[in-house]
Amino acid sequence: MILTIDVGNTNVVLGCVEDGVVVSRSRLATNTSDLPNDYAMKMRQSFAFDSIDYHEFEGAILSSVVPQVNRAIRSAVRKLTGLECIIVGAGVNVKIDDPGTLAGDLITGTVGALSMYKPPIIIVDMGTATTIVAVDKDGAYIGGAIVPGVNLSFEALSQGTSLLPNISIEAPRKCIATNTVDSMKSGAVFGTAAMVDGMIDRMEEELGQSATVVATGGLSGGIIPYCKHEIKHEPDLLLKGLAILYQKNAKPKKQHK
């Protein structure tokens, strides 16, 4: 069983992957002030809740967009399991201006998508930020777009205005809403879905052909059903990609405690 760790700006997602199947997943809050012992305790509690014996992990791999927490999380994994985490590096052919700047989560998502679908592929990852990226017909990552995530956008809207409240991100009954809260929900859900549809259209035009579209991320389940394009929803895309990348690397041996 492989421990896969996807560190995002809001959450740390822990995945337990066995024979390519995600058998357990859980979320911890990403906190740059947490020490290794803090993360170790939270991980142990999470594993216990899911009846996972963390001594059975044979390897661990980490993808992160928050470098400040990497050291603490790697140390926490070492304390619990005796394993050294592999950090995601190159795993796909990257054709952007500076390949070294490509975030680990984008590499991981691309690897996961290519393991399940034939390119070209457009990958939509909806979390704190929304990323929409393209993989060409040869399986190369060629770039994409980054926009503020749905929650982040509407938190800023609420904080920057006097009369607009915080809202839950859920679809209202109709797009042409008749009150303030539903109007905001319409913009959040239908507006974001329309943005995703529009970006898919533009990217397919630049690719010169239609693409398989895959969506992941914590907010995707509430938005993707309202898109007009056919989109494959793969909530465990990054965890599966991490497991594949782990298998491509030498498996580290457990250290004696």
Side-chain angles (χ1 to χ4, degrees), residues 42-161:
K42 292 175 183 178
M43 288 180 183
R44 185 166 56 191
Q45 291 173 340
S46 178
F47 295 142
F49 184 80
D50 288 337
S51 300
I52 298 295
D53 182 355
Y54 54 81
H55 296 102
E56 293 185 358
F57 289 119
E58 63 181 270
I61 186 167
L62 169 74
S63 170
S64 174
V65 296
V66 189
Q68 302 94 312
V69 305
N70 291 359
R71 187 172 181 177
I73 290 177
R74 294 184 75 189
S75 179
V77 171
R78 192 182 307 116
K79 285 174 179 288
L80 280 179
T81 69
L83 291 166
E84 288 290 346
C85 267
I86 295 173
I87 299 292
V88 169
V92 293
N93 184 15
V94 179
K95 294 182 179 179
I96 61 174
D97 296 340
D98 184 357
T101 63
L102 186 62
D105 61 327
L106 299 180
I107 294 173
T108 303
T110 300
V111 170
L114 284 169
S115 74
M116 293 182 280
Y117 301 102
K118 182 180 178 180
I121 305 171
I122 294 171
I123 305 164
V124 183
D125 189 346
M126 308 188 76
T128 305
T130 294
T131 58
I132 308 172
V133 303
V135 179
D136 70 13
K137 61 182 177 61
D138 298 318
Y141 178 99
I142 60 172
I146 303 173
V147 298
V150 186
N151 278 335
L152 190 63
S153 296
F154 278 82
E155 285 171 6
L157 181 64
S158 179
Q159 292 169 6
T161 57

Side-chain angles (χ1 to χ4, degrees), residues 157-174:
L157 181 64
S158 179
Q159 292 169 6
T161 57
S162 299
L163 297 177
L164 298 181
N166 285 312
I167 61 167
S168 57
I169 307 299
E170 58 188 13
R173 189 167 55 86
K174 56 184 180 177

Side-chain angles (χ1 to χ4, degrees), residues 207-218:
L207 286 166
Q209 62 187 118
S210 61
T212 299
V213 185
V214 183
T216 192

Side-chain angles (χ1 to χ4, degrees), residues 31-41 71-73 75-76 79:
N31 191 335
T32 56
S33 63
D34 274 1
L35 299 173
N37 284 346
D38 298 320
Y39 276 113
M41 179 181 67
R71 187 172 181 177
I73 290 177
S75 179
K79 285 174 179 288

